[in-house]
């Protein structure tokens, strides 16, 4: 593998970032920070007074080949690129801001925070070993964000999320200025999405979590994974059936998934941790320090930052980009996962790299009565 064979996301009109810009521009009629979709992709989305954007966590475009996903495959109109790295918090931050990671500053699932002098888990907002942090995430992402721009244009942003997420540090960081509607099962989720879509001038963002969990814990060949995909199909079909006139549902994902059994997981030796901070993901591991020597032994390629920093997107860069970005990255071989001493080695499914299975996410469309 060479880094030249890896294609970064198409931030010019073919990515999740551009989908958000496209929907925002249609609802507000105002310029957006990033371009909308390429014309051929934009033409796939019908005009609407309200859009319901449904994100299936972990259900990449290549995973629609699973037998349980047949009806989602039938609803697919094309594919988009997830931002780099292909992981949940990065993609959700891009939706929440309409910006690529280079501009919103959340550069990885785990992130070096210079003001805290440590690596932070950006889902739980803890240290890598689970210690809670005294850090207010409300203003972590740039302003105005997607929701604030929509509101300023007299459009209402609403997110439908698992109720357990209410008030968490992650929710505070992502949904500043967005109305939060908590639900407790997929039936409530579909009902809420359809009821909220009855009023024009809204962007209703719906988050469906179950596929990602099943892929991480059980892998894509498990009965649990098939059950999770079937549940996601049910949710999409229920939303599609209940859409009111004037609304369009757009489905997508934050990343794809790959399975890595134990024999394809490489644990970085304890000695290599001295004087080095590891963060990011196991598919493209960020290294603050010298990682070139590690690549001599690991199933990975070392790239200094200047050779790959465009993967995070174009400028102008977030003010903290230089201090949060690593010295370089260890890009795992296609069939391997890298683990540092704080990595969770229990997970079968992983993501974060630039293989098409990881980066391609679907573009699903449903209209009332279809």
């Amino acid at each position: 593998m060479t880094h030249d064979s890896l294609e970064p996301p198409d931030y010019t009109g073919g990515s999740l970032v551009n989908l958000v810009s496209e929907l925002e521009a249609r609802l507000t009629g105002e310029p957006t920070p990033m371009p909308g979709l390429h014309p051929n992709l934009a033409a796939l989305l019908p005009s609407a007074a309200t859009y319901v954007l449904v994100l299936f966590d972990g259900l990449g475009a290549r995973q629609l080949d699973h037998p349980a996903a047949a009806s989602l495959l039938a609803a697919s109109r094309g594919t988009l690129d997830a931002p780099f790295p292909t992981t949940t918090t990065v993609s959700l931050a891009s939706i929440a801001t309409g910006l690529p990671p280079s501009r919103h500053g959340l550069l990885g699932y785990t992130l070096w925070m210079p003001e805290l002098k440590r690596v932070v888990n950006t889902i739980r907002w803890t240290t890598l070993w689970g210690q809670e942090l005294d850090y207010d995430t409300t203003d972590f992402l740039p302003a105005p964000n997607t929701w604030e721009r929509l509101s300023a244009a007299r459009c209402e942003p609403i997110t439908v999320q698992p109720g357990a997420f209410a008030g968490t540090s992650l929710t505070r960081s992502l949904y500043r200025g967005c109305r939060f509607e908590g639900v407790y099962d997929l039936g409530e989720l579909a009902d809420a999405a359809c009821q909220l879509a009855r009023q024009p001038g809204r962007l209703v963002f719906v988050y469906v979590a179950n596929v990602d969990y099943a892929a991480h814990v059980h892998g894509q060949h498990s009965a649990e994974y098939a059950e999770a995909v079937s549940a996601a199909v049910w949710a999409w079909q229920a939303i599609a059936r209940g859409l009111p006139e004037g609304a369009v549902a757009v489905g997508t994902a934050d990343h794809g998934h790959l399975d890595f059994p134990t024999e394809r997981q490489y644990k970085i030796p304890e000695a290599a941790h001295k004087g080095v901070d590891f963060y990011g993901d196991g598919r493209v591991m960020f290294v603050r320090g010298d990682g070139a020597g590690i690549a001599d032994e690991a199933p990975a390629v070392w790239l200094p930052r200047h050779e790959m920093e465009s993967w995070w997107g174009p400028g102008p860069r977030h003010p903290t980009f230089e201090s949060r970005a690593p010295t370089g990255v260890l890009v795992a071989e296609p069939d391997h996962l890298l683990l540092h001493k704080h990595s969770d080695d229990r997970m079968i499914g992983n993501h974060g790299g630039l293989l098409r299975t990881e980066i391609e996410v679907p573009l699903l469309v449903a209209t009332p009565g279809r």
Side-chain angles (χ1 to χ4, degrees), residues 58 62 97 173 217 233 251 313 331 352:
R62 301 292 176 98
T97 60
S173 69
V217 176
V233 168
V331 182

Side-chain angles (χ1 to χ4, degrees), residues 16 19 53-57 59 80 95 205 236 250-254 361-364:
L16 190 59
L19 172 61
L53 177 59
V54 185
L55 186 135
F56 296 98
D57 193 337
L59 189 61
L80 302 171
I95 290 172
F205 176 59
W236 175 256
V250 180
T252 189
D254 50 352
V361 296
L363 181 62
L364 314 175

Side-chain angles (χ1 to χ4, degrees), residues 78-97:
T79 62
L80 302 171
D81 292 345
F84 170 81
T86 49
T87 192
T88 299
T89 55
V90 173
S91 287
L92 290 181
S94 287
I95 290 172
T97 60

Side-chain angles (χ1 to χ4, degrees), residues 4 23 31 45 51 78 82 113 148 170 174 192 195 224-225 240 243 253 266 277 286 313 345 348 356:
D4 295 331
L23 299 182
L45 301 182
Y51 285 98
M113 296 281 287
E148 290 162 340
L170 179 60
L174 293 173
Q195 290 180 31
E224 291 86 352
Y225 181 79
L243 278 176
Y266 176 83
D277 292 299
F286 302 174
D345 61 2
I348 297 171
R356 300 316 296 174

Side-chain angles (χ1 to χ4, degrees), residues 264-333:
R264 290 198 275 127
Q265 298 180 9
Y266 176 83
K267 295 187 176 182
I268 296 172
E270 181 74 26
H273 287 70
K274 186 176 181 180
V276 173
D277 292 299
F278 295 103
Y279 55 117
D281 287 278
R283 294 284 296 130
V284 179
M285 187 168 287
F286 302 174
V287 182
R288 187 170 172 267
D290 184 10
I294 299 171
D296 292 338
E297 304 296 331
V301 174
W302 169 252
L303 294 179
R305 192 179 80 199
H306 72 268
E307 292 188 22
M308 51 69 61
E309 59 188 8
S310 64
W311 296 358
W312 282 291
R317 292 175 178 164
H318 190 274
T320 65
F321 180 89
E322 294 294 331
S323 58
R324 291 178 185 171
T327 308
V329 298
L330 290 164
V331 182
E333 294 290 344

Side-chain angles (χ1 to χ4, degrees), residues 102-271:
S102 56
R103 295 181 62 181
H104 64 58
L106 204 164
L107 304 181
Y109 151 60
T110 55
L111 179 65
W112 171 256
M113 296 281 287
E115 62 269 45
L116 298 176
K117 296 183 173 59
R118 66 185 63 202
V119 175
V120 172
N121 178 316
T122 63
I123 291 180
R124 299 181 178 87
W125 284 94
T126 64
T127 65
L128 294 183
W129 50 93
Q131 178 185 349
E132 290 189 16
L133 297 169
D134 182 15
Y135 183 81
D136 185 357
T137 60
T138 305
D139 296 320
F140 177 76
L141 294 175
N145 64 19
T146 303
W147 325 120
E148 290 162 340
R149 291 192 301 271
L150 285 166
S151 296
R154 299 181 182 275
C155 296
E156 185 178 15
I158 306 171
T159 186
V160 179
Q161 300 267 341
F165 293 173
T168 64
S169 294
L170 179 60
T171 294
R172 289 198 302 273
S173 69
L174 293 173
Y175 301 108
R176 183 187 69 231
C178 187
R179 174 177 160 189
F180 184 97
E181 291 290 334
V183 295
Y184 293 92
D185 59 45
L186 290 180
E188 286 187 13
L189 178 142
D191 287 345
C194 294
Q195 290 180 31
L196 292 167
R198 291 175 183 171
Q199 183 170 317
R202 284 177 168 174
L203 178 61
V204 182
F205 176 59
V206 180
Y207 175 78
V208 183
N210 57 329
V211 172
D212 185 65
Y213 176 84
H216 275 306
V217 176
H218 302 287
Q220 295 180 57
H221 300 290
S222 65
E224 291 86 352
Y225 181 79
E227 182 179 353
V229 172
S230 296
V233 168
W234 183 92
W236 175 256
Q237 291 176 332
I239 291 171
R241 285 194 304 268
L243 278 176
E245 289 299 322
V248 167
V250 180
T252 189
D254 50 352
H255 57 76
H257 253 282
L258 293 167
D259 284 0
F260 294 93
T262 303
E263 63 269 19
R264 290 198 275 127
Q265 298 180 9
Y266 176 83
K267 295 187 176 182
I268 296 172
E270 181 74 26

Side-chain angles (χ1 to χ4, degrees), residues 348-364:
I348 297 171
N350 281 273
H351 47 84
L354 290 179
L355 294 183
R356 300 316 296 174
T357 304
E358 297 167 284
I359 195 173
E360 284 187 2
V361 296
L363 181 62
L364 314 175

